[in-house]
Amino acid sequence: MSTHSLTPTEIAPPDPPPPATPKRRSRRPGRHLAYWLIAPALTFMVLVHLIPSAAGIALSFKNLNTFTFSQLFGAPWTGLKNYDAILFDSANPLHSGFVDAARNTVIYTAATVTGTLAGGLGIALLLARQFPGRRTVRTLMLAPYVVPSFVVAVLWGFMWQSDSGIINKILVDYTGILHDRPTWLLGHNSLLAIIIPSIWRGIPLAMLIFLAGLETMPRELHEAAAIDGAGPWRRFRYITLPLLRPLIAVQLLFGVIYSTYQFTIPYVMLGSNPGSDADLIMTLIVRQSFSNNLIGFGAAASTLLMLVMLIWVAVWFRAFRRDLEAS
Amino acid sequence: MRKSRTTALMAVALAVLSFFVAACGSSSDDAGNNDTKSNSNAAPAKDLKGQTVRLWIMNNGPKPVADTQNIVAPFEQKTGIKVKVELVGWDVQLDRIRNAAVSGEGPDVTQAGTTQVPFFAALGGFENVQDKVSQIGGASAYAPGIWKTSQVEGQDGTWGVPWFTEARTIYYRKDALQAAGVDPKTAFSSQEALKATLEKLKAVKDIGGKPIAPFGGPGKKAYDLVHNLMPWVWDSGGAELSSDNKKSTINSPQAVQGVKFATDLVGAGLWDKSMLERDGQQVEDQFKGGRLAVFIGGPWVLQSAKRADDDTWSAAARKNVGVAPMPGGANSKGFTFIGGSNLMVFKSSQHKDAAWALIKYLSDDKVQAQYANLMGMFPARLKPQEAEGTVDADHEAFYAAIKDQGRSYAPIAQWAQVENAYKNQFGQILDEAAGKGQLSDQDIQSGLDKAAKEADGLLAQSAG
């Protein structure tokens, strides 16, 4: 029990409370309502996003294979062995497959995002001009985007067929541009065979976004520049492109993420074993995890991919922060 | 700041709570299932009436569910057990059966590919039916190679009951061979004879004005690519694994020569390159449609030629289809892959006795013959198999393939994965052959070395 006597400071009347403390504010019914309103979304996100992600990361440290598959989270702990196997252990049979898939994914992503943005911008610039039937053309240009990826892959799979596909018919039979019939779905060509449909499908969305940007762009800038003697290229280079930068930035962010996680098009067109020329990280992860039951390996590869994407988001944010703030 | 911290803490707490709920749920479920599983095994026979057995089947024949349901109708009538047939596509069956075995949420009985049985057994989700198989004649009622597919190496038990069998053999167009001036009796007697036949067929550019290629087989998109290439490897004296099944031997000099036989066909323009872009079904349809003079297929193709409702056949191809045993290598009688499907009972089944009663019924010789006929397969049991083999010359060729040339893979849990590793590299090698033309021994060796390395890694897996 304490026996000390009270000091004058302790006897003095307390200061009046501040007019609005955070505690009092939190008692307001509106704040409770806000928590209730975000609770479903938060719960859903935790259940379908955070927990599976955490579980995936946990599994990446496990020796989860054919013999331990049924144990799942009870599988033996293997530390960083899966990561070591993927990144550094050239003696590991899965290492070279990962390196090939990583290389192909970088090429695929760079080509797809560049092609989509360039194509989308080019078509948007054409469609921003006035011409008869513009609305119809715009609507038709959206067609590839409304077709599901699976259907796109099936259609292009037929089109690339070396013997009966329309592409070789045009290149060899109708125009004579090529003498021999290339086999687009085999070997080195197969990476190109999945890049082109991916660009084809991505262009409409990019076009739509750029078109919206072009139509809200102030005309006075172009008119003033034209009066000052700037030609079309200079107006595009110094007015259009800088004003579209925030839109390019956002599409770059999502384009890289979407392309890196692409699975449907390569899987449907080339099968579960696309070969070292066209295997992507996602087809590799799915094959090793679910066909080969190497869940630990697949989880480690997925975690690495997620880390790379987080780094990409950080780099992107640094590069385009000013544009975001300006917009 | 404090508010955001509170929100973050709430989110973390919720996540941790949900995680524990999920983890506890799964472990208690497992325990619960194990208990009910062992108890249900003791269900008396008189209680079987009125029970429903769920049976998962794959795409067997053109009307898989209706055909199977018809086959089991007399069983339902006689026993009062209802059979619910459910279709699971071959493309997803591995995932679904595996998940059902692990989670305990599945049907009572499933069809499983013969090469998958050891893997499924290793999951621990299936019944060992060793003590019951004497009721269906045991091992002696089946050819040894087929019975082996129900076993797991190193374990004493029987995890599947062979249901039906298939083997791959040569299909050819009689009219194309005639146009090429080749006698079908000698056309496929050896690998050299096959090559010479294809060379002559190459000169036959079309039949009745319709272009025809000498030979075609699927490439990397075929789920069964390994079944298609291994016969060449076996013919050359190669093998998929060492005799103790511990190491891959797919990169042996003999295996290189076997694969080279196939890539040489591509390089020489005898194997239509465009077929390598297709999957197995698409290539089969190309043969049926009259685009190929020779291809390698299973017994269902023969059966489908007799079905007027199969409109993938061109009239000429349907009329002129012929079958021959697989050609032999320099020192071999010729090999082919034999597979098929087995029936497995889930440990989680609540109706194990009824499930076994169904398997017994499906193992009856007459029912076997009836079902195999419907699907265009061969029965798994010796007696009906033998009877089927005497139907006509084409069936004789198939029966000879099953009996004399049939070979399957090691019954080890990792085989499906090893097969996947081989498939990947076989596909890559065929891709290269399509691009480069002739491949050197070194080209093939390098691809097969990669396959062997990956397979060795998979074989070295353990529970530790």
Side-chain angles (χ1 to χ4, degrees):
Chain A
M1 180 187 271
S2 172
T3 55
H4 81 278
S5 56
L6 294 171
T7 65
T9 333
E10 286 168 323
I11 305 165
D15 291 334
T21 62
K23 200 176 171 188
R24 285 186 69 177
R25 227 188 295 159
S26 69
R27 281 185 188 148
R28 289 211 315 241
R31 197 142 297 260
H32 283 293
L33 179 66
Y35 284 129
W36 278 113
L37 288 174
I38 63 165
L42 185 70
T43 311
F44 194 70
M45 201 173 154
V46 168
L47 286 175
V48 303
H49 195 85
L50 291 179
I51 291 176
S53 299
I57 293 168
L59 291 178
S60 72
F61 301 107
K62 299 276 183 173
N63 178 22
L64 199 49
N65 60 35
T66 296
F67 298 104
T68 55
F69 191 89
S70 53
Q71 298 171 34
L72 205 62
F73 288 100
W77 178 265
T78 188
L80 292 170
K81 211 172 157 192
N82 288 326
Y83 292 93
D84 181 54
I86 291 170
L87 294 172
F88 310 113
D89 184 3
S90 59
N92 189 291
L94 303 174
H95 174 79
S96 60
F98 184 82
V99 173
D100 288 338
R103 179 202 62 218
N104 294 338
T105 304
V106 169
I107 297 171
Y108 172 84
T109 302
T112 307
V113 173
T114 310
T116 304
L117 291 189
L121 181 58
I123 295 171
L125 287 169
L126 289 175
L127 293 182
R129 295 157 182 263
Q130 292 295 336
F131 60 88
R134 192 169 74 129
R135 280 190 178 184
T136 315
V137 175
R138 272 189 197 185
T139 312
L140 287 175
M141 289 303 298
L142 280 173
Y145 189 66
V146 296
V147 179
S149 297
F150 177 83
V151 180
V152 169
V154 171
L155 287 176
W156 277 85
F158 284 124
M159 285 162 63
W160 286 126
Q161 287 279 354
S162 58
D163 57 343
S164 54
I166 186 73
I167 292 166
N168 273 2
K169 277 195 189 299
I170 292 170
L171 292 174
V172 182
D173 300 339
Y174 302 154
T175 61
I177 293 170
L178 296 176
H179 275 294
D180 293 326
R181 307 182 89 83
T183 45
W184 297 105
L185 297 167
L186 308 176
H188 300 305
N189 289 341
S190 48
L191 191 57
L192 185 70
I194 56 171
I195 287 172
I196 291 179
S198 305
I199 293 174
W200 182 78
R201 185 165 192 275
I203 279 178
L205 181 66
M207 178 205 78
L208 205 66
I209 293 170
F210 283 131
L211 205 53
L214 289 171
E215 293 196 338
T216 53
M217 208 170 271
R219 284 176 181 277
E220 305 81 50
L221 291 175
H222 280 274
E223 287 164 3
I227 290 166
D228 288 345
W233 167 248
R234 286 172 72 85
R235 291 205 300 274
F236 173 75
R237 172 74 184 81
Y238 294 106
I239 299 173
T240 308
L241 213 51
L243 287 173
L244 288 178
R245 221 177 114 98
L247 295 181
I248 294 171
V250 172
Q251 292 192 76
L252 199 59
L253 174 71
F254 291 112
V256 168
I257 294 172
Y258 181 82
S259 296
T260 307
Y261 287 128
Q262 178 61 262
F263 172 74
T264 311
I265 289 178
Y267 182 81
V268 175
M269 284 177 65
L270 306 173
S272 60
N273 290 297
S276 60
D277 290 315
D279 202 12
L280 300 185
I281 291 281
M282 284 311 293
T283 44
L284 173 95
I285 288 172
V286 170
R287 188 173 63 251
Q288 297 297 7
S289 302
F290 302 110
S291 300
N292 287 348
N293 309 308
L294 300 173
I295 301 285
F297 175 89
S302 302
T303 306
L304 284 173
L305 188 61
M306 189 175 76
L307 285 176
V308 170
M309 286 298 99
L310 287 174
I311 293 168
W312 157 245
V313 172
V315 168
W316 175 89
F317 190 74
R318 229 181 142 72
F320 292 102
R321 190 166 47 189
R322 274 192 194 168
D323 297 284
L324 296 176
E325 285 165 1
S327 63
Chain B
M1 186 69 175
R2 197 184 296 164
K3 274 179 283 172
S4 63
R5 199 180 295 162
T6 313
T7 313
L9 278 172
M10 272 176 63
V12 171
L14 204 62
V16 171
L17 186 70
S18 315
F19 189 77
F20 276 108
V21 168
C24 294
S26 69
S27 63
S28 62
D29 282 355
D30 289 347
N33 277 333
N34 285 338
D35 287 347
T36 50
K37 282 168 218 165
S38 50
N39 288 341
S40 68
N41 207 14
K46 62 179 179 183
D47 290 340
L48 301 183
K49 199 172 178 184
Q51 288 191 6
T52 299
V53 174
R54 278 175 68 204
L55 167 68
W56 275 1
I57 60 159
M58 278 89 244
N59 321 60
N60 311 326
K63 293 175 186 166
V65 175
D67 285 349
T68 312
Q69 205 73 63
N70 285 338
I71 285 285
V72 299
F75 168 78
E76 290 181 307
Q77 235 168 8
K78 195 176 164 189
T79 60
I81 298 169
K82 197 172 164 2
V83 181
K84 195 174 172 206
V85 181
E86 294 169 20
L87 181 68
V88 179
W90 275 112
D91 50 341
V92 293
Q93 55 91 241
L94 183 103
D95 288 348
R96 289 196 59 192
I97 298 172
R98 178 191 58 204
N99 296 348
V102 172
S103 67
E105 299 288 328
D108 300 288
V109 183
T110 186
Q111 171 187 346
T114 50
T115 57
Q116 298 173 333
V117 171
F119 163 61
F120 288 141
L123 293 175
F126 290 93
E127 284 289 294
N128 178 357
V129 292
Q130 176 79 43
D131 58 339
K132 295 192 176 82
V133 291
S134 60
Q135 298 170 29
I136 53 169
S140 60
Y142 300 82
I146 290 166
W147 185 251
K148 195 177 92 174
T149 64
S150 66
Q151 316 287 306
V152 180
E153 194 190 70
Q155 291 186 41
D156 191 21
T158 302
W159 277 267
V161 172
W163 191 15
F164 57 81
T165 301
E166 58 113 330
R168 314 291 164 98
T169 198
I170 296 272
Y171 277 88
Y172 63 89
R173 284 275 297 270
K174 292 172 185 166
D175 51 350
L177 256 62
Q178 198 178 8
V182 185
D183 179 2
K185 283 180 189 156
T186 54
F188 310 104
S189 55
S190 67
Q191 285 186 355
E192 286 315 308
L194 168 67
K195 218 169 190 176
T197 300
L198 297 182
E199 288 285 3
K200 285 183 183 162
L201 282 167
K202 198 178 171 186
V204 181
K205 299 284 179 202
D206 63 89
I207 300 268
K210 204 170 173 186
I212 192 162
F215 177 79
K220 64 188 171 192
K221 284 183 86 175
Y223 76 90
D224 52 358
L225 181 59
V226 176
H227 307 340
N228 297 342
L229 288 199
M230 277 314 291
W232 311 124
V233 172
W234 289 328
D235 284 346
S236 304
E240 64 280 13
L241 296 177
S242 59
S243 52
D244 62 357
N245 296 327
K246 301 264 189 253
K247 296 284 281 180
S248 168
T249 52
I250 201 64
N251 56 345
S252 69
Q254 294 89 339
V256 170
Q257 289 315 307
V259 174
K260 194 163 188 302
F261 176 76
T263 57
D264 282 352
L265 295 182
V266 179
L270 303 174
W271 183 324
D272 184 347
K273 279 196 280 187
S274 70
M275 298 298 147
L276 292 171
E277 298 169 324
R278 295 177 160 92
D279 63 27
Q281 185 59 54
Q282 289 167 337
V283 173
E284 184 181 311
D285 290 345
Q286 292 289 311
F287 176 78
K288 290 172 168 178
R291 282 273 326 273
L292 295 171
V294 179
F295 105 111
I296 294 170
W300 58 88
V301 182
L302 198 56
Q303 183 70 7
S304 76
K306 292 174 186 158
R307 291 184 72 127
D309 59 345
D310 188 342
D311 56 7
T312 44
W313 285 95
S314 72
R318 195 193 291 271
K319 204 172 104 190
N320 288 290
V321 63
V323 175
M326 289 289 281
N331 303 310
S332 86
K333 58 185 179 176
F335 288 103
T336 189
F337 166 76
I338 51 164
S341 284
N342 293 3
L343 293 167
M344 301 179 80
V345 180
F346 281 90
K347 262 192 185 165
S348 58
S349 166
Q350 303 292 313
H351 315 107
K352 291 196 183 76
D353 289 336
W356 178 251
L358 174 66
I359 290 179
K360 257 174 85 177
Y361 170 77
L362 292 172
S363 302
D364 177 84
D365 285 352
K366 272 186 198 161
V367 179
Q368 282 249 312
Q370 214 181 341
Y371 191 59
N373 260 329
L374 265 177
M375 291 182 302
M377 295 287 187
F378 263 72
R381 293 169 72 83
L382 270 175
K383 260 192 182 173
Q385 206 176 70
E386 211 173 68
E388 187 75 13
T390 57
V391 169
D392 55 30
D394 290 336
H395 282 80
E396 246 170 63
F398 259 112
Y399 183 53
I402 291 171
K403 204 161 49 92
D404 306 327
Q405 298 184 306
R407 191 161 161 172
S408 193
Y409 312 118
I412 53 170
Q414 305 99 314
W415 173 256
Q417 297 159 278
V418 171
E419 187 182 318
N420 217 8
Y422 290 179
K423 184 168 81 170
N424 207 13
Q425 283 306 322
F426 284 173
Q428 183 72 22
I429 289 169
L430 287 171
D431 268 24
E432 277 174 32
K436 279 194 196 173
Q438 296 287 351
L439 293 186
S440 67
D441 285 10
Q442 192 46 46
D443 291 330
I444 296 168
Q445 183 75 59
S446 134
L448 294 183
D449 282 346
K450 284 185 199 165
K453 189 179 172 189
E454 190 171 343
D456 284 342
L458 295 164
L459 289 165
Q461 287 176 92
S462 68

